[in-house]
Amino acid sequence: MDFRDTEQQAELRQSIRAFCATHCDSESEAAREQSEQYPADLHRALAAAGLLGLGLPRDYGGGGLDLLAQCIAFEELSRHSGAAANILFINGVCGALVAAGGSPAQREALLGPLCAGELRFAFALTESEAGSDLAGLSLTAQPRGEDYVLSGSKLYTTGAADAHFLLTAARSDAKAGPRQGISLFLVPADSAGLEITALPKLAGNEIASCRVAYRDVQVSSDARLGEANGAWSWLMLGGALERLSVAASCLGLSRAILDAVLAHAAEREQFGQPIGRFQAVQHRIADMSVRIEAMQWLVYAAAQAADLGAAAQRQICSAKLFAAENAQQIAQDGMRLLGGRAYFSDNPMQRRLREALLALYAGGTMEIQRNLIARSLGL
Ligand SMILES: Cc1cc2nc3c(=O)[nH]c(=O)nc-3n(C[C@H](O)[C@H](O)[C@H](O)COP(=O)(O)OP(=O)(O)OC[C@H]3O[C@@H](n4cnc5c(N)ncnc54)[C@H](O)[C@@H]3O)c2cc1C
């Protein structure tokens, strides 16, 4: 396997680096996080740079790029901006599901505006009693004439407070099996009966994760994405995209940490010499580099396998598991190697440590990745 960038991939990398140099310097990132306001300017800038719909069909204004190129985009954005990567993550997954499962009318109405940054989305799956066990979700969608009425609540729906549509998984057939009775709905965020409450969190409060109460929210059957009661396969597709995106983001975040550590090891002097001359420091940095190399191979290989149409679930789960766990170690090593300054709010390292933790949950926990890998091995 040869994972040197093609000309097109190298151009993509360069264009994202140029984008980040303009929009995502570390002062802007810190200011965005402190503001706790949705970064609408960043969202618009991502759209203007053609980055929002990278994986969406060209017919609808997207970039039509394969998964490997999308991973490169997540990697490069995550080197600089958790917020930018998160915007791409949420809207990219929702857009991919609309592209794959939506009617021609839904694709026409939603994908162009998504790519142009005019419509924002949030993905509402998790509930208080249905986290890892997604098939246990209980928010109901009851048919009423031509419409559906949604009742229940969702948790941690990221971006909901600033979205135009909440792509919502609901139980539309209580009698069917847990995976058979679920439908997806594009719920307009201004629907009567919807109550959205931001929940303060450890990092990324500028894109709030929310509790969403659905109190008899009426949506037309045109708002249903795909067949009634047939959403499970779309949820699995969304899960795979989430895992790959999170793994690629861990790769970018880890590279940013290594860059910062290398610069610090060369500059910081103690006992009359740069700390990078101490073998203990060198070894820790060497281990970081090995983890990042392995992460890159797992992420790129999983993306390429999926691009080639292979059944790539095990590879995607392996990439997500390895990347998320090693990003924790790399972030902790970054904290150690920068010394006490890493602990202070003006240093980006503490933000990277907090951002790395999200990878333990987004796209499913580590135990769930291991369960899926074990199942794919026939266990
Ligand atoms: C910052 C943030 C943003 C999020 N954004 C969104 C969003 O936009 N939309 C959305 O729908 N969700 C979102 N989530 C939810 C996320 O997907 C869930 O947190 C995740 O799926 C885990 O579910 P849970 O938190 O309920 O944990 P639980 O399922 O309660 O798990 C608790 C522990 O039990 C373990 N466990 C559970 N089942 C098993 C098992 N079978 N075998 C072994 N161990 C097991 C887990 O691995 C974990 O360690 C977000 C979460 C966070 C933290």
Side-chain angles (χ1 to χ4, degrees):
M1 268 189 237
D2 179 2
F3 285 129
R4 280 172 298 181
D5 283 350
T6 62
E7 205 174 310
Q8 194 190 24
Q9 289 164 350
E11 272 173 28
L12 175 66
R13 233 182 250 287
Q14 281 313 321
S15 72
I16 296 179
R17 285 180 188 171
F19 175 89
C20 289
T22 308
H23 298 282
C24 309
D25 58 89
S26 67
E27 288 78 25
S28 314
E29 285 302 296
R32 275 191 195 111
E33 188 180 35
Q34 273 168 13
S35 78
E36 300 192 1
Q37 299 292 317
Y38 188 80
D41 55 339
L42 182 61
H43 193 120
R44 278 193 296 274
L46 283 163
L51 294 173
L52 267 190
L54 279 180
L56 298 180
R58 287 208 174 91
D59 290 351
Y60 298 102
L65 297 187
D66 61 15
L67 290 168
L68 181 50
Q70 291 175 61
C71 282
I72 289 171
F74 274 107
E75 177 189 340
E76 289 301 327
L77 279 177
S78 300
R79 276 177 106 132
H80 304 278
S81 174
N86 218 351
I87 291 170
L88 191 63
F89 174 70
I90 300 164
N91 290 279
V93 171
C94 291
L97 293 183
V98 172
S103 65
Q106 287 169 331
R107 290 202 292 265
E108 195 66 48
L110 301 175
L111 293 181
L114 184 159
C115 294
E118 291 155 6
L119 287 182
R120 299 191 288 257
F121 291 77
F123 198 15
L125 305 177
T126 303
E127 301 178 2
S128 63
E129 303 307 316
S132 300
D133 183 13
L134 187 55
L137 65 85
S138 65
L139 184 144
T140 55
Q142 291 195 315
R144 185 183 291 170
E146 292 295 295
D147 296 339
Y148 284 90
V149 177
L150 273 59
S151 310
S153 65
K154 294 289 180 184
L155 262 189
Y156 313 144
T157 310
T158 304
D162 301 280
H164 298 94
F165 285 95
L166 275 54
L167 183 55
T168 304
R171 186 154 301 287
S172 44
D173 183 350
K175 295 196 188 91
R179 296 178 180 184
Q180 278 76 44
I182 299 174
S183 302
L184 271 172
F185 295 90
L186 286 151
V187 180
D190 58 1
S191 300
L194 211 56
E195 189 182 303
I196 300 173
T197 312
L199 303 168
K201 56 184 173 177
L202 185 65
N205 279 297
E206 67 273 37
I207 305 180
S209 296
C210 304
R211 177 185 299 113
V212 186
Y214 298 67
R215 299 205 173 87
D216 294 339
V217 174
Q218 194 155 346
V219 292
S220 100
S221 51
D222 291 346
R224 201 186 62 229
L225 192 86
E227 293 293 310
N229 308 319
W232 189 253
S233 58
W234 302 126
L235 297 182
M236 294 302 96
L237 173 65
L241 290 173
E242 284 186 351
R243 286 176 193 123
L244 205 46
S245 309
V246 171
S249 289
C250 288
L251 176 59
L253 185 69
S254 300
R255 286 199 198 285
I257 293 170
L258 179 60
D259 289 346
V261 160
L262 283 171
H264 186 70
E267 281 162 18
R268 173 70 173 165
E269 294 196 2
Q270 288 291 276
F271 301 96
Q273 56 181 326
I275 59 166
R277 295 253 175 88
F278 299 123
Q279 194 181 49
V281 169
Q282 291 173 359
H283 284 186
R284 196 178 286 278
I285 296 175
D287 285 348
M288 292 170 88
S289 171
V290 173
R291 291 178 201 280
I292 291 170
E293 286 276 315
M295 209 186 274
Q296 174 181 330
W297 278 89
L298 281 171
V299 173
Y300 288 9
Q304 193 178 69
D307 281 330
L308 292 171
Q313 166 157 282
R314 181 162 72 233
Q315 279 175 284
I316 291 174
C317 290
S318 303
K320 150 87 208 248
L321 174 65
F322 186 87
E325 289 197 333
N326 280 279
Q328 310 311 311
Q329 185 61 52
I330 288 168
Q332 289 213 8
D333 287 342
M335 291 295 292
R336 289 182 193 220
L337 288 165
L338 257 66
R341 61 195 53 68
Y343 199 84
F344 287 85
S345 301
D346 64 347
N347 194 296
M349 194 57 78
Q350 48 77 30
R351 177 166 46 77
R352 292 180 180 132
L353 176 75
R354 290 183 287 113
E355 284 177 358
L357 284 163
L358 174 59
L360 295 176
Y361 315 102
T365 65
M366 303 299 93
E367 291 73 22
I368 295 306
Q369 309 310 312
R370 286 190 168 88
N371 287 352
L372 292 169
I373 292 166
R375 199 178 304 157
S376 80
L377 294 168
L379 297 169

